[in-house]
Amino acid sequence: SPGVYRTITGAESVSLGLLAGSQLAGLNISFCSYPITPASALLHHLARMKDFGVITFQAEDEIAAAAAALGASYAGSLGITSSSGPGIALKMEAIGLAIGTELPMVIVNSQRAGPSTGLPTKTEQSDLYQAVFGRNADAPMPVISVSTPSDGYDVAIEAIRIATKYMTPVMVLTDGYITNASEPWLIPDPSAYDRFDVTFRTDPENFQPFMRDDTTLARPWVKPGTPEMMHRIGGIERSYDTGHISYDPANHQKMTDVRAAKVNGIANDIPEQEVAVGAAGGKLAVVGWGSTYGPINRAVANLRDEGLDVSQIHLRYIWPLPRNLGELLHSYDQVLVAEMNTGQLRTLLRSEYLVPAEGLNKVNGKPFLIAELEDAIRARLEN
């Protein structure tokens, strides 16, 4: 398309998207991090954005970084933290606190090969389970993924929109391949993006800290020091509406259910799943997420040029899943899930939709080759 382009890496696009999203929300951001490969680039880029009201803080460790980001959100800024898989594991208790206190927060996970230290400079997609399920107790939160180096801009904006609208932490999944890769980026028109300005509660009349919006189920966001609106907030289960500490069994059931309903309801506020290449329904759909987009896209397009009945479905929203995804998957004779792990999205799709999906899995630290995807697709269509 015609226009003004620049080269952009995945780390740069996420950084610029976080800044743009904060401006669309009318917030300052506090980026709290600890260096780790390949996530450190985000800290490097955002540290140069002080003129736009961006605060960056290099903490003494991952736990402190996540807690500081949550503290920033409590104070009325937007707390953002980032890491790779090992560091995300350390952040999980603080992320659970964000879920329990229902404060907005964005967590960027630049995935690498694991477990533990693993292969720091190699790419992988093995943190999907960690992102969707990796907290103690029933603690759901939204998870969205970046598919190309330039896609990080829009994904970061969307993460901030969801986090502030639904008062929840949101995890963004990218990986080492996207973070370090680059591509031409058509510089967007800022006026094409709708604002989603945050409104802080200042009216003390009938105020309860965990009263909820009828549509989103989000609680109000109150800055500390707002007159006549002092309230208790912490990690122990809180009473519905008042936020006071509660050990009542029925209340815990109610709070667990409403937190889950709030996150599940986000499915009504995201686009329905589209087919990236091909048609809805047919012999075979290749499903992917994250950085597998490029090779899957080319492999499917090449084989369709040869007359084969194959389509590509690529997910941005990992949790909650798009509301039409189950029906779409069941419209194909076969579903092949290609991902750089041992089958994490495949397991999720099977459990949610009872679809007999097969996996094409790779964990050698390298991206898929177009040729190996073409071979796998041909083999399944021939059988």
Side-chain angles (χ1 to χ4, degrees):
S1 301
V4 179
Y5 284 78
R6 57 159 287 183
T7 299
I8 197 165
T9 67
E12 288 174 322
S13 72
V14 171
S15 302
L16 290 170
L18 291 172
L19 174 59
S22 70
Q23 294 187 342
L24 291 170
L27 295 169
N28 288 328
I29 58 177
S30 298
F31 185 83
C32 309
S33 186
Y34 180 80
I36 185 172
T37 302
S40 300
L42 274 180
L43 180 59
H44 300 163
H45 293 307
L46 286 165
R48 295 195 289 264
M49 298 182 183
K50 296 176 183 178
D51 291 345
F52 297 98
V54 175
I55 294 173
T56 51
F57 169 56
Q58 181 176 316
E60 66 268 31
D61 56 45
E62 298 284 10
I63 299 172
L70 182 56
S73 292
Y74 170 66
S77 179
L78 178 63
I80 303 173
T81 190
S82 83
S83 190
S84 298
I88 296 295
L90 293 168
K91 295 178 188 290
M92 277 303 183
E93 184 180 8
I95 294 171
L97 180 60
I99 292 170
T101 55
E102 299 184 59
L103 286 167
M105 184 175 171
V106 175
I107 306 101
V108 183
N109 182 353
S110 300
Q111 300 167 97
R112 70 188 201 188
S116 187
T117 309
L119 303 175
T121 62
K122 301 298 182 181
T123 198
E124 206 162 273
Q125 292 181 298
S126 292
D127 294 348
L128 185 147
Y129 285 162
Q130 183 186 51
V132 177
F133 303 117
R135 291 158 296 284
N136 62 303
D138 291 296
M141 72 173 181
V143 180
I144 56 180
S145 67
V146 180
S147 297
T148 69
S150 62
D151 186 46
Y153 183 80
D154 287 326
V155 168
I157 292 174
E158 177 71 345
I160 292 176
R161 183 190 74 86
I162 292 173
T164 54
K165 183 174 181 178
Y166 291 89
M167 292 294 284
T168 178
V170 177
M171 187 172 290
V172 173
L173 292 176
T174 180
D175 62 45
Y177 183 51
I178 294 174
T179 297
N180 296 314
S182 63
E183 67 178 344
W185 179 49
L186 177 61
I187 298 175
D189 178 4
S191 65
Y193 290 81
D194 295 329
R195 295 189 63 87
F196 45 89
D197 292 275
V198 168
T199 301
F200 291 94
R201 172 84 183 221
T202 58
D203 181 6
E205 186 175 356
N206 299 320
F207 168 70
Q208 295 284 5
F210 283 86
M211 62 196 303
R212 298 183 183 276
D213 181 273
D214 292 338
T215 303
T216 64
L217 298 179
R219 76 174 191 88
W221 196 357
V222 179
K223 291 184 180 181
T226 303
E228 300 180 54
M229 300 183 73
M230 185 184 297
H231 60 279
R232 178 185 284 114
I233 189 167
I236 297 177
E237 184 62 281
R238 59 217 50 82
S239 179
Y240 200 86
D241 288 338
T242 68
H244 297 321
I245 292 173
S246 172
Y247 283 86
D248 178 65
N251 177 76
H252 180 56
Q253 179 79 57
K254 186 175 183 179
M255 289 296 280
T256 300
D257 291 344
V258 76
R259 286 190 292 262
K262 180 178 73 171
V263 172
N264 290 336
I266 294 170
N268 297 318
D269 194 23
I270 61 176
E272 291 193 345
Q273 183 63 46
E274 296 181 349
V275 179
V277 177
K283 291 184 178 179
L284 175 64
V286 183
V287 180
W289 64 281
S291 63
T292 59
Y293 174 83
I296 295 174
N297 184 270
R298 293 277 25 101
V300 170
N302 291 346
L303 294 181
R304 286 188 65 83
D305 287 344
E306 296 179 12
L308 299 183
D309 185 2
V310 58
S311 300
Q312 178 192 16
I313 297 173
H314 208 76
L315 303 185
R316 168 178 285 182
Y317 300 91
I318 306 298
W319 195 261
L321 293 162
R323 55 191 177 277
N324 69 321
L325 181 59
E327 180 182 358
L328 181 60
L329 293 177
H330 280 288
S331 69
Y332 296 93
D333 297 338
Q334 299 181 70
V335 173
L336 177 65
V337 183
E339 49 187 333
M340 292 183 291
N341 56 47
T342 57
Q344 296 185 16
L345 178 62
R346 179 191 63 195
T347 300
L348 187 64
L349 297 179
R350 282 178 169 181
S351 67
E352 288 297 305
Y353 305 121
L354 300 179
V355 59
E358 295 185 52
L360 179 63
N361 305 107
K362 184 174 182 177
V363 284
N364 65 356
K366 298 180 180 180
F368 278 105
L369 300 176
I370 297 171
E372 63 187 342
L373 286 162
E374 290 176 343
D375 291 342
I377 292 168
R378 282 196 180 95
R380 281 158 180 81
L381 289 175
E382 289 171 359
N383 293 330

Coordinates of all heavy atoms in Angstrom, one line a residue, residues 262-334:
K262 N -16.1 -12.0 34.3 CA -15.6 -10.8 33.8 C -14.6 -11.0 32.6 O -14.7 -10.4 31.5 CB -14.8 -10.0 34.9 CG -14.3 -8.7 34.4 CD -13.6 -7.9 35.5 CE -12.3 -8.5 35.9 NZ -11.6 -7.6 36.9
V263 N -13.7 -12.0 32.8 CA -12.7 -12.3 31.8 C -13.4 -13.0 30.6 O -13.1 -12.7 29.4 CB -11.5 -13.1 32.3 CG1 -10.6 -13.7 31.2 CG2 -10.7 -12.3 33.3
N264 N -14.3 -13.9 30.9 CA -15.0 -14.6 29.8 C -15.8 -13.7 29.0 O -16.0 -13.9 27.7 CB -15.9 -15.7 30.4 CG -15.1 -16.9 30.9 OD1 -14.0 -17.1 30.6 ND2 -15.7 -17.6 31.8
G265 N -16.3 -12.6 29.6 CA -17.2 -11.7 28.9 C -16.4 -10.8 27.9 O -17.0 -10.2 27.0
I266 N -15.1 -10.8 28.0 CA -14.2 -10.1 27.0 C -14.4 -10.7 25.6 O -14.2 -10.0 24.6 CB -12.8 -10.1 27.5 CG1 -12.6 -9.3 28.8 CG2 -11.8 -9.5 26.4 CD1 -11.3 -9.5 29.4
A267 N -14.8 -12.0 25.5 CA -15.0 -12.6 24.2 C -16.1 -11.8 23.4 O -16.1 -11.9 22.2 CB -15.4 -14.0 24.4
N268 N -17.0 -11.1 24.1 CA -18.0 -10.4 23.4 C -17.5 -9.0 22.9 O -18.3 -8.3 22.3 CB -19.2 -10.2 24.3 CG -19.9 -11.5 24.7 OD1 -20.1 -12.4 23.9 ND2 -20.2 -11.7 26.0
D269 N -16.3 -8.7 23.3 CA -15.7 -7.4 23.0 C -14.5 -7.5 22.1 O -13.8 -6.5 21.9 CB -15.3 -6.7 24.3 CG -15.1 -5.2 24.1 OD1 -15.6 -4.6 23.2 OD2 -14.3 -4.6 25.0
I270 N -14.3 -8.6 21.5 CA -13.2 -8.8 20.6 C -13.8 -9.3 19.2 O -14.9 -9.8 19.2 CB -12.1 -9.8 21.1 CG1 -12.7 -11.2 21.3 CG2 -11.5 -9.3 22.4 CD1 -11.7 -12.3 21.8
P271 N -13.0 -9.2 18.1 CA -13.6 -9.6 16.8 C -13.8 -11.1 16.8 O -13.1 -11.9 17.4 CB -12.5 -9.2 15.8 CG -11.7 -8.2 16.6 CD -11.7 -8.5 18.0
E272 N -14.8 -11.5 16.0 CA -14.9 -13.0 15.7 C -13.7 -13.4 14.8 O -13.1 -12.6 14.1 CB -16.2 -13.2 14.9 CG -17.4 -13.1 15.8 CD -18.7 -13.6 15.1 OE1 -18.6 -13.9 13.9 OE2 -19.7 -13.8 15.8
Q273 N -13.4 -14.7 15.0 CA -12.2 -15.2 14.3 C -12.4 -15.2 12.8 O -13.5 -15.7 12.3 CB -11.8 -16.6 14.8 CG -10.6 -17.2 14.1 CD -9.4 -16.4 14.5 OE1 -9.1 -16.1 15.6 NE2 -8.5 -16.2 13.4
E274 N -11.5 -14.7 12.0 CA -11.5 -14.8 10.6 C -10.6 -15.8 10.0 O -9.6 -16.2 10.7 CB -11.2 -13.4 10.0 CG -12.2 -12.3 10.4 CD -11.9 -11.0 9.8 OE1 -10.8 -10.8 9.2 OE2 -12.8 -10.1 9.8
V275 N -10.8 -16.2 8.8 CA -9.8 -17.0 8.1 C -8.8 -16.2 7.4 O -9.1 -15.3 6.5 CB -10.6 -17.9 7.0 CG1 -9.6 -18.9 6.3 CG2 -11.7 -18.7 7.8
A276 N -7.5 -16.4 7.7 CA -6.5 -15.6 7.1 C -6.3 -15.8 5.6 O -6.1 -14.9 4.8 CB -5.2 -15.8 7.9
V277 N -6.3 -17.1 5.2 CA -6.1 -17.5 3.8 C -7.1 -18.7 3.6 O -7.1 -19.6 4.4 CB -4.7 -18.0 3.5 CG1 -4.6 -18.4 2.1 CG2 -3.7 -16.8 3.7
G278 N -7.9 -18.6 2.5 CA -8.8 -19.7 2.2 C -10.2 -19.4 2.6 O -10.6 -18.2 2.6
A279 N -11.0 -20.4 2.9 CA -12.4 -20.3 3.1 C -12.8 -20.9 4.4 O -12.1 -21.8 5.0 CB -13.2 -20.9 2.0
A280 N -13.9 -20.5 5.0 CA -14.5 -21.1 6.1 C -15.1 -22.5 5.7 O -16.1 -22.5 5.0 CB -15.6 -20.2 6.8
G281 N -14.5 -23.5 6.2 CA -15.0 -24.9 5.9 C -14.1 -25.4 4.8 O -13.7 -24.7 3.9
G282 N -13.9 -26.7 4.8 CA -13.1 -27.4 3.8 C -12.4 -28.6 4.3 O -12.8 -29.2 5.4
K283 N -11.4 -29.1 3.6 CA -10.7 -30.3 4.0 C -9.8 -30.1 5.2 O -9.7 -31.0 6.0 CB -10.0 -30.9 2.8 CG -10.9 -31.4 1.7 CD -10.1 -32.1 0.6 CE -11.1 -32.6 -0.5 NZ -10.3 -33.3 -1.6
L284 N -9.0 -29.0 5.2 CA -8.0 -28.9 6.2 C -7.8 -27.4 6.6 O -7.7 -26.5 5.7 CB -6.6 -29.4 5.7 CG -5.4 -29.3 6.6 CD1 -5.6 -30.0 7.9 CD2 -4.1 -29.7 5.9
A285 N -7.7 -27.1 7.9 CA -7.3 -25.8 8.4 C -6.0 -25.9 9.1 O -5.9 -26.8 10.0 CB -8.4 -25.3 9.3
V286 N -5.1 -25.1 8.8 CA -3.9 -25.0 9.6 C -4.0 -23.8 10.6 O -4.2 -22.7 10.2 CB -2.6 -24.8 8.7 CG1 -1.4 -24.8 9.5 CG2 -2.6 -25.9 7.6
V287 N -4.0 -24.2 11.9 CA -4.2 -23.2 12.9 C -2.8 -22.8 13.6 O -2.0 -23.7 13.8 CB -5.2 -23.7 14.0 CG1 -5.4 -22.6 15.1 CG2 -6.5 -24.1 13.4
G288 N -2.6 -21.6 13.7 CA -1.4 -21.1 14.4 C -1.6 -19.9 15.2 O -2.7 -19.4 15.3
W289 N -0.5 -19.5 15.9 CA -0.6 -18.3 16.7 C 0.9 -17.7 16.8 O 1.8 -18.5 16.6 CB -1.2 -18.5 18.1 CG -0.4 -19.5 19.0 CD1 -0.3 -20.8 18.9 CD2 0.5 -19.1 20.1 NE1 0.5 -21.3 19.9 CE2 1.1 -20.3 20.6 CE3 0.9 -17.9 20.6 CZ2 2.0 -20.3 21.7 CZ3 1.8 -17.9 21.7 CH2 2.3 -19.1 22.2
G290 N 1.0 -16.5 17.1 CA 2.3 -15.9 17.2 C 3.1 -15.9 15.9 O 2.6 -15.8 14.8
S291 N 4.5 -16.1 16.1 CA 5.4 -16.0 15.0 C 5.3 -17.0 13.9 O 6.0 -17.0 12.9 CB 6.8 -15.8 15.5 OG 7.2 -17.0 16.1
T292 N 4.5 -18.1 14.1 CA 4.3 -19.0 13.0 C 3.5 -18.5 11.9 O 3.3 -19.2 10.8 CB 3.6 -20.3 13.6 OG1 2.3 -19.9 14.1 CG2 4.4 -21.0 14.6
Y293 N 3.0 -17.3 12.0 CA 2.1 -16.7 11.0 C 2.8 -16.7 9.6 O 2.2 -17.1 8.6 CB 1.7 -15.3 11.3 CG 0.9 -14.6 10.2 CD1 -0.5 -14.8 10.1 CD2 1.6 -13.8 9.3 CE1 -1.2 -14.2 9.1 CE2 0.9 -13.2 8.3 CZ -0.5 -13.4 8.2 OH -1.2 -12.8 7.1
G294 N 4.0 -16.2 9.5 CA 4.7 -16.0 8.2 C 4.8 -17.3 7.5 O 4.3 -17.5 6.3
P295 N 5.5 -18.3 8.0 CA 5.6 -19.6 7.3 C 4.3 -20.3 7.0 O 4.2 -20.9 5.9 CB 6.6 -20.4 8.2 CG 6.6 -19.8 9.5 CD 6.2 -18.3 9.3
I296 N 3.4 -20.3 7.9 CA 2.1 -20.9 7.7 C 1.4 -20.2 6.5 O 0.8 -20.8 5.6 CB 1.2 -20.9 8.9 CG1 1.8 -21.8 10.0 CG2 -0.2 -21.4 8.5 CD1 1.0 -21.7 11.3
N297 N 1.4 -18.9 6.5 CA 0.8 -18.1 5.5 C 1.3 -18.4 4.1 O 0.5 -18.6 3.2 CB 0.9 -16.6 5.8 CG 0.2 -15.7 4.9 OD1 0.8 -15.3 3.8 ND2 -1.0 -15.4 5.2
R298 N 2.6 -18.5 4.0 CA 3.2 -18.8 2.7 C 3.0 -20.2 2.3 O 2.7 -20.5 1.1 CB 4.7 -18.5 2.7 CG 5.0 -17.0 2.9 CD 5.0 -16.2 1.7 NE 4.2 -16.6 0.6 CZ 3.0 -16.1 0.3 NH1 2.5 -15.2 1.0 NH2 2.4 -16.5 -0.8
A299 N 3.1 -21.1 3.2 CA 2.8 -22.5 2.8 C 1.4 -22.8 2.3 O 1.2 -23.4 1.3 CB 3.1 -23.4 4.0
V300 N 0.4 -22.2 3.1 CA -1.0 -22.4 2.7 C -1.3 -21.7 1.4 O -1.9 -22.2 0.5 CB -1.9 -21.8 3.8 CG1 -3.4 -21.8 3.3 CG2 -1.8 -22.7 5.1
A301 N -0.7 -20.5 1.2 CA -1.0 -19.8 -0.1 C -0.3 -20.5 -1.3 O -1.0 -20.6 -2.3 CB -0.4 -18.4 0.0
N302 N 0.8 -21.1 -1.1 CA 1.5 -21.8 -2.1 C 0.7 -23.0 -2.5 O 0.5 -23.3 -3.7 CB 2.9 -22.3 -1.7 CG 3.9 -21.1 -1.5 OD1 3.6 -20.0 -2.0 ND2 5.0 -21.4 -0.9
L303 N 0.2 -23.8 -1.5 CA -0.6 -25.0 -1.8 C -2.0 -24.7 -2.4 O -2.5 -25.5 -3.2 CB -0.7 -25.9 -0.6 CG 0.6 -26.4 -0.1 CD1 0.4 -27.3 1.2 CD2 1.4 -27.2 -1.2
R304 N -2.5 -23.6 -2.0 CA -3.8 -23.2 -2.6 C -3.6 -22.8 -4.1 O -4.5 -23.1 -4.9 CB -4.5 -22.0 -1.9 CG -5.0 -22.4 -0.5 CD -5.8 -21.3 0.1 NE -7.0 -20.9 -0.7 CZ -8.2 -21.5 -0.6 NH1 -8.3 -22.5 0.2 NH2 -9.2 -21.1 -1.4
D305 N -2.5 -22.3 -4.4 CA -2.1 -22.0 -5.8 C -2.1 -23.2 -6.6 O -2.3 -23.2 -7.9 CB -0.8 -21.2 -5.9 CG -1.0 -19.7 -5.5 OD1 -2.1 -19.3 -5.4 OD2 0.1 -19.1 -5.2
E306 N -1.7 -24.4 -6.0 CA -1.7 -25.7 -6.6 C -3.0 -26.3 -6.7 O -3.1 -27.5 -7.2 CB -0.7 -26.6 -5.9 CG 0.8 -26.1 -5.9 CD 1.7 -27.0 -5.2 OE1 1.3 -28.1 -4.8 OE2 2.9 -26.6 -4.9
G307 N -4.1 -25.7 -6.1 CA -5.4 -26.3 -6.1 C -5.8 -27.1 -4.9 O -6.9 -27.7 -4.9
L308 N -5.0 -27.1 -3.9 CA -5.3 -27.9 -2.7 C -6.3 -27.2 -1.8 O -6.2 -25.9 -1.7 CB -4.0 -28.2 -1.9 CG -3.0 -29.1 -2.7 CD1 -1.8 -29.4 -1.8 CD2 -3.6 -30.4 -3.2
D309 N -7.1 -27.9 -1.1 CA -8.2 -27.3 -0.3 C -7.6 -27.2 1.2 O -7.8 -28.1 2.0 CB -9.4 -28.2 -0.3 CG -10.6 -27.6 0.5 OD1 -10.4 -26.5 1.0 OD2 -11.6 -28.3 0.6
V310 N -6.9 -26.1 1.4 CA -6.3 -25.9 2.7 C -6.5 -24.4 3.1 O -6.5 -23.6 2.2 CB -4.8 -26.3 2.8 CG1 -4.0 -25.6 1.7 CG2 -4.2 -26.1 4.1
S311 N -6.7 -24.1 4.3 CA -6.9 -22.7 4.8 C -6.1 -22.5 6.0 O -5.6 -23.4 6.7 CB -8.4 -22.5 5.1 OG -9.2 -22.7 4.0
Q312 N -5.8 -21.2 6.3 CA -5.1 -20.7 7.4 C -6.0 -20.0 8.4 O -6.7 -19.1 8.0 CB -3.9 -19.8 7.1 CG -3.1 -19.3 8.3 CD -2.1 -18.2 7.9 OE1 -2.2 -17.6 6.8 NE2 -1.2 -17.9 8.8
I313 N -5.9 -20.4 9.7 CA -6.6 -19.6 10.8 C -5.5 -19.2 11.7 O -4.7 -20.1 12.2 CB -7.6 -20.5 11.5 CG1 -8.8 -20.9 10.5 CG2 -8.2 -19.8 12.7 CD1 -9.8 -21.8 11.1
H314 N -5.4 -18.0 12.0 CA -4.3 -17.5 12.9 C -4.9 -16.7 14.1 O -5.7 -15.8 13.9 CB -3.3 -16.7 12.2 CG -1.9 -16.7 12.8 ND1 -1.1 -17.8 12.7 CD2 -1.3 -15.9 13.6 CE1 0.0 -17.6 13.3 NE2 0.0 -16.4 13.9
L315 N -4.6 -17.1 15.3 CA -5.2 -16.5 16.5 C -4.4 -15.4 17.0 O -3.2 -15.5 17.2 CB -5.3 -17.6 17.6 CG -6.1 -18.8 17.2 CD1 -6.3 -19.7 18.5 CD2 -7.5 -18.5 16.7
R316 N -5.1 -14.3 17.3 CA -4.5 -13.2 18.1 C -4.9 -13.3 19.6 O -4.1 -13.2 20.5 CB -4.9 -11.8 17.6 CG -4.6 -10.7 18.6 CD -5.0 -9.3 18.0 NE -4.0 -8.9 17.0 CZ -4.1 -7.7 16.4 NH1 -5.1 -6.9 16.6 NH2 -3.2 -7.4 15.5
Y317 N -6.2 -13.7 19.8 CA -6.7 -13.8 21.1 C -6.6 -15.3 21.6 O -7.3 -16.1 21.1 CB -8.2 -13.3 21.1 CG -8.3 -11.9 20.7 CD1 -8.5 -11.5 19.4 CD2 -8.2 -10.8 21.7 CE1 -8.6 -10.2 19.0 CE2 -8.3 -9.5 21.3 CZ -8.5 -9.2 19.9 OH -8.6 -7.9 19.6
I318 N -5.8 -15.5 22.6 CA -5.6 -16.8 23.1 C -6.5 -17.1 24.3 O -7.0 -18.3 24.4 CB -4.1 -17.0 23.6 CG1 -3.1 -16.6 22.4 CG2 -3.8 -18.4 24.1 CD1 -3.2 -17.5 21.2
W319 N -6.8 -16.1 25.1 CA -7.8 -16.3 26.1 C -8.4 -14.9 26.5 O -7.7 -14.0 26.7 CB -7.2 -16.9 27.4 CG -8.3 -17.4 28.3 CD1 -8.8 -16.8 29.4 CD2 -9.0 -18.6 28.1 NE1 -9.8 -17.5 29.9 CE2 -10.0 -18.7 29.2 CE3 -9.0 -19.7 27.2 CZ2 -10.9 -19.7 29.3 CZ3 -9.9 -20.7 27.4 CH2 -10.8 -20.8 28.4
P320 N -9.8 -14.8 26.5 CA -10.7 -15.8 26.0 C -10.6 -16.0 24.5 O -10.2 -15.0 23.8 CB -12.0 -15.3 26.4 CG -11.9 -13.8 26.5 CD -10.5 -13.6 26.9
L321 N -10.9 -17.2 24.0 CA -10.9 -17.4 22.6 C -12.1 -16.8 21.9 O -13.1 -16.5 22.5 CB -11.0 -19.0 22.4 CG -9.7 -19.7 22.8 CD1 -10.1 -21.2 23.0 CD2 -8.5 -19.5 21.9
P322 N -11.9 -16.4 20.6 CA -13.0 -15.8 19.9 C -14.3 -16.6 20.0 O -14.3 -17.9 19.9 CB -12.5 -15.7 18.5 CG -11.0 -15.7 18.6 CD -10.7 -16.6 19.8
R323 N -15.4 -16.0 20.1 CA -16.7 -16.7 20.3 C -17.2 -17.6 19.2 O -17.9 -18.5 19.4 CB -17.8 -15.7 20.7 CG -18.0 -14.6 19.6 CD -18.9 -13.5 20.1 NE -19.1 -12.4 19.2 CZ -18.3 -11.4 19.0 NH1 -17.2 -11.3 19.7 NH2 -18.5 -10.5 18.1
N324 N -16.7 -17.4 18.0 CA -17.1 -18.2 16.9 C -16.1 -19.3 16.5 O -16.3 -20.0 15.5 CB -17.4 -17.4 15.6 CG -16.1 -16.8 15.1 OD1 -15.2 -16.4 15.8 ND2 -16.0 -16.7 13.8
L325 N -15.0 -19.4 17.3 CA -13.9 -20.3 16.9 C -14.3 -21.7 16.9 O -13.9 -22.5 15.9 CB -12.7 -20.0 17.8 CG -11.4 -20.9 17.5 CD1 -10.9 -20.6 16.1 CD2 -10.3 -20.6 18.5
G326 N -15.0 -22.2 17.8 CA -15.4 -23.6 17.9 C -16.2 -24.0 16.6 O -15.9 -25.0 16.0
E327 N -17.2 -23.2 16.3 CA -18.0 -23.5 15.1 C -17.1 -23.5 13.8 O -17.3 -24.3 12.9 CB -19.1 -22.5 14.9 CG -20.0 -22.7 13.7 CD -21.1 -21.6 13.6 OE1 -21.2 -20.7 14.5 OE2 -21.8 -21.6 12.6
L328 N -16.2 -22.5 13.7 CA -15.3 -22.4 12.6 C -14.4 -23.7 12.5 O -14.3 -24.3 11.4 CB -14.5 -21.2 12.7 CG -13.5 -20.9 11.6 CD1 -14.2 -20.7 10.2 CD2 -12.7 -19.6 11.9
L329 N -13.8 -24.1 13.6 CA -12.9 -25.3 13.5 C -13.7 -26.5 13.1 O -13.2 -27.4 12.3 CB -12.3 -25.5 14.9 CG -11.3 -24.4 15.3 CD1 -10.8 -24.7 16.7 CD2 -10.1 -24.3 14.3
H330 N -14.9 -26.7 13.6 CA -15.7 -27.9 13.2 C -16.2 -27.9 11.8 O -16.7 -28.9 11.3 CB -16.9 -28.0 14.2 CG -16.5 -28.6 15.5 ND1 -16.2 -29.9 15.7 CD2 -16.4 -28.0 16.8 CE1 -15.9 -30.1 17.0 NE2 -16.0 -29.0 17.6
S331 N -16.0 -26.8 11.1 CA -16.4 -26.7 9.7 C -15.3 -27.4 8.7 O -15.6 -27.5 7.5 CB -16.6 -25.3 9.2 OG -15.4 -24.5 9.2
Y332 N -14.2 -27.8 9.3 CA -13.2 -28.5 8.5 C -13.1 -30.0 8.8 O -13.4 -30.4 9.9 CB -11.8 -27.8 8.8 CG -11.7 -26.4 8.4 CD1 -12.0 -25.4 9.3 CD2 -11.4 -26.0 7.1 CE1 -11.9 -24.0 9.0 CE2 -11.3 -24.7 6.7 CZ -11.6 -23.7 7.7 OH -11.5 -22.4 7.3
D333 N -12.7 -30.7 7.8 CA -12.6 -32.2 8.0 C -11.4 -32.5 8.9 O -11.4 -33.4 9.7 CB -12.3 -32.9 6.7 CG -13.5 -32.8 5.7 OD1 -14.6 -32.5 6.2 OD2 -13.4 -32.9 4.5
Q334 N -10.3 -31.7 8.8 CA -9.1 -31.9 9.6 C -8.6 -30.5 10.1 O -8.8 -29.5 9.4 CB -8.0 -32.5 8.8 CG -8.3 -33.9 8.3 CD -7.0 -34.5 7.5 OE1 -6.0 -34.8 8.1 NE2 -7.2 -34.5 6.2

